Coordinates of all heavy atoms in Angstrom, one line a residue:
M1 N 0.8 -1.2 0.0 CA 0.0 0.0 0.0 C 0.9 1.2 0.0 O 1.9 1.3 0.7 CB -0.9 0.0 1.2 CG -1.8 1.2 1.3 SD -2.8 1.3 2.8 CE -4.0 0.0 2.3
E2 N 0.5 2.2 -0.8 CA 1.3 3.5 -0.9 C 1.2 4.2 0.4 O 0.2 4.3 1.1 CB 0.7 4.4 -2.0 CG 0.7 3.7 -3.4 CD 2.1 3.6 -3.9 OE1 3.0 4.5 -3.6 OE2 2.4 2.6 -4.6
I3 N 2.4 4.9 0.8 CA 2.5 5.5 2.1 C 1.5 6.6 2.3 O 1.0 6.8 3.4 CB 3.9 6.1 2.3 CG1 4.1 6.6 3.7 CG2 4.3 7.1 1.2 CD1 5.6 6.9 4.1
F4 N 1.1 7.4 1.2 CA 0.2 8.5 1.4 C -1.2 8.0 1.8 O -2.0 8.8 2.3 CB 0.1 9.3 0.1 CG -0.5 8.6 -1.1 CD1 -1.8 8.4 -1.3 CD2 0.4 8.0 -2.0 CE1 -2.3 7.8 -2.4 CE2 0.0 7.3 -3.1 CZ -1.4 7.2 -3.3
M5 N -1.5 6.7 1.7 CA -2.8 6.1 2.1 C -2.9 5.8 3.6 O -3.9 5.7 4.1 CB -3.1 4.9 1.2 CG -3.2 5.2 -0.2 SD -3.6 3.7 -1.2 CE -5.3 3.6 -0.9
W6 N -1.7 5.7 4.2 CA -1.7 5.4 5.7 C -1.0 6.4 6.5 O -1.1 6.5 7.7 CB -1.2 4.0 6.0 CG 0.1 3.7 5.4 CD1 0.4 3.0 4.2 CD2 1.4 4.0 6.0 NE1 1.8 2.9 4.1 CE2 2.4 3.4 5.2 CE3 1.8 4.6 7.2 CZ2 3.8 3.6 5.4 CZ3 3.2 4.7 7.5 CH2 4.1 4.2 6.6
W7 N -0.2 7.3 5.9 CA 0.6 8.3 6.6 C -0.3 9.1 7.6 O 0.1 9.4 8.7 CB 1.4 9.2 5.7 CG 2.2 10.2 6.4 CD1 2.0 11.5 6.6 CD2 3.5 9.9 7.0 NE1 3.0 12.1 7.3 CE2 3.9 11.2 7.6 CE3 4.3 8.8 7.2 CZ2 5.1 11.3 8.2 CZ3 5.5 8.9 7.9 CH2 5.9 10.2 8.4
L8 N -1.4 9.6 7.1 CA -2.2 10.5 8.0 C -2.7 9.8 9.2 O -3.0 10.4 10.2 CB -3.4 11.1 7.2 CG -3.0 12.1 6.1 CD1 -4.3 12.5 5.3 CD2 -2.3 13.3 6.7
D9 N -2.8 8.5 9.2 CA -3.3 7.7 10.3 C -2.2 7.3 11.3 O -2.5 6.7 12.3 CB -4.1 6.5 9.8 CG -5.4 6.9 9.1 OD1 -6.0 7.9 9.5 OD2 -5.7 6.2 8.1
L10 N -1.0 7.5 10.9 CA 0.2 7.1 11.7 C 0.3 8.0 12.9 O 0.1 9.3 12.8 CB 1.4 7.2 10.9 CG 2.7 6.7 11.5 CD1 2.6 5.2 12.0 CD2 3.9 6.9 10.6
D11 N 0.6 7.5 14.1 CA 0.7 8.3 15.3 C 1.9 9.3 15.2 O 2.8 9.0 14.5 CB 0.8 7.4 16.5 CG 2.1 6.6 16.5 OD1 2.1 5.5 15.8 OD2 3.1 7.0 17.1
L12 N 1.7 10.4 15.9 CA 2.7 11.5 15.8 C 4.1 11.1 16.2 O 5.1 11.5 15.6 CB 2.2 12.7 16.6 CG 3.0 14.0 16.4 CD1 3.1 14.4 15.0 CD2 2.4 15.1 17.3
D13 N 4.2 10.3 17.3 CA 5.5 9.8 17.7 C 6.2 9.0 16.7 O 7.5 9.2 16.5 CB 5.4 9.0 19.0 CG 5.0 9.8 20.2 OD1 5.2 11.1 20.2 OD2 4.4 9.2 21.2
S14 N 5.5 8.2 16.0 CA 6.2 7.4 14.9 C 6.6 8.3 13.8 O 7.7 8.1 13.2 CB 5.2 6.3 14.4 OG 5.0 5.3 15.4
K15 N 5.8 9.2 13.4 CA 6.1 10.2 12.3 C 7.4 10.9 12.7 O 8.3 11.1 11.9 CB 5.0 11.2 12.1 CG 3.8 10.6 11.4 CD 2.8 11.7 11.2 CE 1.5 11.1 10.6 NZ 0.5 12.1 10.5
E16 N 7.5 11.4 13.9 CA 8.6 12.2 14.3 C 9.9 11.3 14.3 O 10.9 11.7 13.9 CB 8.4 12.8 15.7 CG 7.4 13.9 15.7 CD 7.1 14.4 17.1 OE1 7.6 13.9 18.1 OE2 6.4 15.4 17.2
W17 N 9.7 10.1 14.8 CA 10.9 9.2 14.8 C 11.4 8.9 13.4 O 12.6 9.0 13.1 CB 10.5 7.8 15.5 CG 11.8 7.0 15.7 CD1 12.5 7.0 16.9 CD2 12.4 6.1 14.8 NE1 13.6 6.2 16.7 CE2 13.6 5.6 15.5 CE3 12.2 5.7 13.5 CZ2 14.4 4.7 14.8 CZ3 13.0 4.9 12.9 CH2 14.2 4.4 13.6
L18 N 10.5 8.7 12.5 CA 10.9 8.4 11.1 C 11.5 9.6 10.5 O 12.5 9.5 9.7 CB 9.6 8.0 10.3 CG 9.1 6.6 10.6 CD1 7.7 6.5 10.0 CD2 10.0 5.5 10.1
R19 N 11.0 10.8 10.7 CA 11.7 12.0 10.2 C 13.1 12.3 10.8 O 13.9 12.8 10.1 CB 10.8 13.2 10.5 CG 9.5 13.3 9.7 CD 8.7 14.5 10.2 NE 7.4 14.5 9.5 CZ 6.2 14.6 10.1 NH1 6.1 14.7 11.4 NH2 5.1 14.7 9.3
E20 N 13.2 11.9 12.0 CA 14.5 12.1 12.7 C 15.6 11.0 12.3 O 16.7 11.2 12.6 CB 14.3 12.2 14.2 CG 13.6 13.4 14.6 CD 13.2 13.4 16.1 OE1 13.5 12.4 16.8 OE2 12.5 14.3 16.6
N21 N 15.1 9.9 11.8 CA 16.0 8.8 11.5 C 15.8 8.3 10.1 O 15.6 7.1 9.8 CB 15.6 7.6 12.5 CG 15.9 8.0 13.9 OD1 17.0 7.9 14.4 ND2 14.9 8.4 14.6
L22 N 15.9 9.3 9.2 CA 15.6 9.0 7.8 C 16.5 7.9 7.2 O 17.7 7.8 7.5 CB 15.8 10.2 6.9 CG 14.7 11.3 6.9 CD1 15.2 12.5 6.2 CD2 13.5 10.7 6.3
R23 N 15.9 7.0 6.5 CA 16.6 5.9 5.8 C 17.3 4.9 6.7 O 18.3 4.3 6.3 CB 17.4 6.5 4.7 CG 16.7 7.3 3.7 CD 17.5 7.8 2.6 NE 16.8 8.9 1.9 CZ 15.7 8.8 1.1 NH1 15.3 7.6 0.8 NH2 15.2 9.8 0.5
T24 N 16.9 4.8 7.9 CA 17.5 3.9 8.8 C 17.2 2.4 8.4 O 16.2 2.2 7.7 CB 17.1 4.1 10.3 OG1 17.8 3.2 11.1 CG2 15.6 3.8 10.4
D25 N 18.1 1.5 8.7 CA 17.9 0.1 8.3 C 17.0 -0.6 9.2 O 16.4 -1.6 8.9 CB 19.2 -0.6 8.2 CG 20.1 -0.1 7.1 OD1 19.5 0.4 6.1 OD2 21.3 -0.2 7.2
E26 N 16.9 -0.2 10.5 CA 16.1 -0.9 11.5 C 15.1 0.1 12.1 O 15.4 1.2 12.5 CB 16.9 -1.5 12.5 CG 17.8 -2.6 12.0 CD 18.6 -3.3 13.1 OE1 18.1 -3.3 14.3 OE2 19.7 -3.8 12.9
L27 N 13.8 -0.3 12.2 CA 12.8 0.4 12.8 C 12.5 -0.2 14.1 O 12.4 -1.4 14.3 CB 11.5 0.5 11.9 CG 11.7 1.0 10.5 CD1 10.3 0.9 9.8 CD2 12.2 2.4 10.5
P28 N 12.3 0.6 15.2 CA 11.9 0.1 16.5 C 10.5 -0.5 16.5 O 9.7 -0.1 15.7 CB 12.0 1.3 17.4 CG 11.9 2.5 16.6 CD 12.4 2.1 15.2
L29 N 10.3 -1.5 17.3 CA 9.0 -2.2 17.4 C 7.8 -1.2 17.5 O 6.8 -1.4 16.7 CB 9.0 -3.2 18.5 CG 7.7 -4.1 18.6 CD1 7.5 -4.8 17.3 CD2 7.8 -5.0 19.7
P30 N 7.8 -0.2 18.3 CA 6.6 0.7 18.4 C 6.3 1.4 17.0 O 5.2 1.6 16.7 CB 7.0 1.7 19.4 CG 8.0 1.1 20.3 CD 8.8 0.2 19.4
V31 N 7.4 1.7 16.3 CA 7.2 2.4 15.0 C 6.6 1.3 14.0 O 5.7 1.6 13.2 CB 8.5 3.0 14.4 CG1 8.3 3.5 13.0 CG2 8.9 4.1 15.3
L32 N 7.1 0.1 14.0 CA 6.6 -0.9 13.1 C 5.1 -1.2 13.5 O 4.3 -1.3 12.5 CB 7.4 -2.2 13.3 CG 8.8 -2.2 12.8 CD1 9.5 -3.5 13.3 CD2 8.8 -2.2 11.3
Q33 N 4.8 -1.2 14.7 CA 3.4 -1.5 15.1 C 2.5 -0.3 14.7 O 1.4 -0.5 14.2 CB 3.3 -1.7 16.6 CG 3.9 -3.0 17.1 CD 4.0 -3.1 18.6 OE1 4.1 -2.2 19.3 NE2 3.9 -4.4 19.1
G34 N 3.0 0.9 14.8 CA 2.3 2.1 14.4 C 2.0 2.1 13.0 O 0.8 2.4 12.5
I35 N 3.0 1.7 12.2 CA 2.8 1.6 10.7 C 1.7 0.6 10.4 O 0.8 0.8 9.6 CB 4.1 1.3 10.0 CG1 5.0 2.5 10.1 CG2 3.9 0.9 8.5 CD1 6.5 2.2 9.6
A36 N 1.8 -0.6 11.0 CA 0.8 -1.6 10.7 C -0.6 -1.2 11.2 O -1.6 -1.4 10.4 CB 1.2 -2.9 11.4
E37 N -0.7 -0.6 12.3 CA -2.0 -0.2 12.8 C -2.6 1.0 12.0 O -3.8 1.1 11.9 CB -1.9 0.3 14.3 CG -1.6 -0.8 15.2 CD -1.3 -0.3 16.7 OE1 -1.4 0.9 16.9 OE2 -0.9 -1.2 17.5
A38 N -1.8 1.8 11.3 CA -2.3 2.8 10.5 C -2.7 2.3 9.1 O -3.3 3.1 8.3 CB -1.2 3.9 10.3
G39 N -2.4 1.0 8.8 CA -2.8 0.4 7.6 C -1.7 0.2 6.6 O -1.8 -0.1 5.5
G40 N -0.4 0.5 7.1 CA 0.7 0.3 6.3 C 1.2 -1.1 6.2 O 0.5 -2.0 6.7
P41 N 2.3 -1.4 5.6 CA 2.8 -2.8 5.5 C 3.1 -3.4 6.9 O 3.5 -2.8 7.8 CB 4.1 -2.6 4.7 CG 4.5 -1.2 4.8 CD 3.2 -0.4 5.1
H42 N 2.8 -4.7 6.9 CA 3.0 -5.5 8.2 C 4.4 -5.9 8.2 O 4.9 -6.3 7.1 CB 2.0 -6.6 8.2 CG 2.1 -7.3 9.6 ND1 3.0 -8.3 9.9 CD2 1.3 -7.1 10.7 CE1 2.7 -8.7 11.1 NE2 1.7 -8.0 11.6
P43 N 5.1 -5.9 9.3 CA 6.5 -6.2 9.3 C 6.9 -7.7 9.3 O 7.4 -8.3 10.2 CB 7.0 -5.6 10.7 CG 5.7 -5.7 11.5 CD 4.6 -5.5 10.6
D44 N 6.5 -8.4 8.1 CA 7.0 -9.7 7.9 C 8.5 -9.7 7.9 O 9.2 -10.6 8.4 CB 6.5 -10.3 6.6 CG 5.0 -10.6 6.7 OD1 4.5 -10.7 7.8 OD2 4.3 -10.5 5.7
N45 N 9.1 -8.7 7.2 CA 10.5 -8.5 7.2 C 10.7 -7.0 7.6 O 10.6 -6.1 6.8 CB 11.1 -8.7 5.8 CG 12.5 -8.4 5.7 OD1 13.2 -8.0 6.6 ND2 13.1 -8.6 4.5
P46 N 11.1 -6.7 8.9 CA 11.2 -5.4 9.4 C 12.1 -4.5 8.5 O 11.9 -3.3 8.4 CB 11.8 -5.5 10.8 CG 11.3 -6.9 11.2 CD 11.3 -7.7 9.9
A47 N 13.1 -5.0 7.9 CA 14.0 -4.2 7.1 C 13.4 -3.7 5.8 O 13.8 -2.8 5.2 CB 15.3 -5.0 6.8
A48 N 12.3 -4.4 5.4 CA 11.7 -4.1 4.1 C 10.3 -3.4 4.2 O 9.6 -3.3 3.3 CB 11.5 -5.4 3.3
V49 N 10.0 -2.9 5.4 CA 8.7 -2.2 5.6 C 8.6 -1.0 4.8 O 7.6 -0.8 4.1 CB 8.5 -1.9 7.1 CG1 7.3 -1.0 7.3 CG2 8.4 -3.2 7.9
L50 N 9.6 -0.1 4.7 CA 9.6 1.1 3.9 C 10.5 1.0 2.7 O 11.6 0.6 2.8 CB 10.0 2.3 4.8 CG 9.1 2.5 6.0 CD1 9.6 3.6 6.9 CD2 7.6 2.8 5.6
T51 N 10.0 1.4 1.6 CA 10.7 1.4 0.4 C 11.5 2.7 0.2 O 11.2 3.7 1.0 CB 9.8 1.3 -0.8 OG1 9.0 2.4 -0.9 CG2 8.9 0.0 -0.7
A52 N 12.3 2.8 -0.8 CA 13.1 4.1 -1.0 C 12.1 5.2 -1.3 O 12.2 6.3 -0.9 CB 14.0 3.9 -2.2
A53 N 11.0 4.9 -2.1 CA 10.0 5.9 -2.4 C 9.2 6.3 -1.1 O 8.9 7.5 -1.0 CB 8.9 5.3 -3.4
D54 N 9.0 5.4 -0.1 CA 8.4 5.8 1.1 C 9.3 6.8 1.9 O 8.9 7.8 2.4 CB 8.2 4.6 2.0 CG 7.1 3.6 1.5 OD1 6.3 4.1 0.6 OD2 7.2 2.5 1.8
W55 N 10.6 6.5 1.9 CA 11.6 7.4 2.6 C 11.6 8.8 1.9 O 11.7 9.8 2.5 CB 13.0 6.8 2.6 CG 13.1 5.7 3.6 CD1 13.3 4.4 3.4 CD2 13.0 5.8 5.1 NE1 13.4 3.7 4.6 CE2 13.1 4.5 5.6 CE3 12.7 6.9 5.9 CZ2 13.1 4.3 7.0 CZ3 12.6 6.6 7.3 CH2 12.8 5.4 7.8
D56 N 11.5 8.8 0.5 CA 11.5 10.0 -0.2 C 10.3 10.8 0.2 O 10.3 12.1 0.4 CB 11.4 9.8 -1.7 CG 12.7 9.3 -2.3 OD1 13.8 9.4 -1.6 OD2 12.7 8.7 -3.4
F57 N 9.1 10.2 0.4 CA 7.9 10.8 0.8 C 8.1 11.4 2.2 O 7.7 12.6 2.4 CB 6.7 9.9 0.8 CG 5.5 10.4 1.4 CD1 4.6 11.1 0.5 CD2 5.2 10.3 2.7 CE1 3.4 11.6 1.0 CE2 4.0 10.9 3.2 CZ 3.1 11.5 2.4
I58 N 8.6 10.6 3.1 CA 8.8 11.1 4.5 C 9.7 12.3 4.5 O 9.5 13.3 5.2 CB 9.4 10.0 5.4 CG1 8.3 8.9 5.5 CG2 9.8 10.5 6.7 CD1 8.9 7.6 6.1
E59 N 10.8 12.3 3.7 CA 11.7 13.4 3.7 C 11.2 14.7 3.0 O 11.4 15.8 3.5 CB 13.0 12.9 2.9 CG 14.1 14.0 2.9 CD 15.4 13.4 2.3 OE1 15.3 12.4 1.6 OE2 16.4 14.0 2.5
T60 N 10.4 14.5 1.9 CA 10.1 15.7 1.1 C 8.6 16.1 1.1 O 8.3 17.2 0.9 CB 10.5 15.5 -0.4 OG1 9.8 14.4 -0.9 CG2 12.0 15.2 -0.5
Q61 N 7.7 15.1 1.4 CA 6.3 15.4 1.2 C 5.5 15.5 2.5 O 4.5 16.1 2.6 CB 5.6 14.4 0.3 CG 6.2 14.3 -1.1 CD 6.0 15.6 -1.8 OE1 4.9 16.2 -1.8 NE2 7.0 16.1 -2.5
S62 N 6.0 14.8 3.5 CA 5.3 14.9 4.8 C 5.4 16.2 5.5 O 6.5 16.8 5.4 CB 5.8 13.7 5.7 OG 7.1 14.0 6.2
E63 N 4.4 16.7 6.1 CA 4.4 17.9 6.8 C 4.7 17.8 8.2 O 4.3 16.8 8.8 CB 3.0 18.6 6.6 CG 2.7 18.9 5.2 CD 1.3 19.7 5.1 OE1 0.9 20.2 6.1 OE2 0.8 19.7 3.9
F64 N 5.5 18.7 8.8 CA 5.8 18.6 10.2 C 4.7 19.0 11.1 O 4.7 18.8 12.3 CB 7.1 19.4 10.5 CG 8.3 18.7 9.9 CD1 8.8 19.0 8.7 CD2 9.0 17.9 10.8 CE1 9.9 18.3 8.2 CE2 10.1 17.2 10.3 CZ 10.6 17.4 9.0
V65 N 3.7 19.6 10.6 CA 2.5 20.0 11.4 C 1.4 19.0 11.0 O 0.7 19.3 10.0 CB 2.1 21.4 11.1 CG1 0.9 21.8 11.9 CG2 3.2 22.4 11.4
D66 N 1.3 17.9 11.7 CA 0.3 16.9 11.3 C -1.0 17.1 12.1 O -1.1 17.0 13.2 CB 0.9 15.5 11.5 CG 1.8 15.2 10.4 OD1 1.5 15.4 9.2 OD2 2.9 14.8 10.7

């Protein structure tokens, strides 16, 4: 599922963590759970939850005032 479809439902703490840790290889469990609960990809493989396009969105398109 495309990130823009679940980003608005992601909790603020997870959004902030993702913005502060752009393109990290490992996501903490609370962030993985937040993504799954918002309707994003489920962490079958935690390293593959976010694609390069997802990280581009987080870096350039997401607003800091959510």
Side-chain angles (χ1 to χ4, degrees):
M1 177 179 289
E2 298 291 326
I3 189 170
F4 62 85
M5 298 181 76
W6 54 264
W7 180 259
L8 293 176
D9 295 325
L10 185 61
D11 64 279
L12 187 57
D13 289 339
S14 294
K15 288 179 183 179
E16 289 177 356
W17 191 93
L18 289 167
R19 290 178 182 128
E20 292 170 2
N21 298 278
L22 282 172
R23 303 184 194 284
T24 187
D25 290 333
E26 294 185 30
L27 303 178
L29 185 57
V31 174
L32 290 171
Q33 290 173 328
I35 291 170
E37 290 171 5
H42 190 275
D44 291 334
N45 177 359
V49 170
L50 299 175
T51 66
D54 293 337
W55 285 115
D56 290 343
F57 175 89
I58 293 167
E59 183 175 17
T60 62
Q61 300 297 316
S62 68
E63 297 182 14
F64 284 89
V65 180
D66 287 310

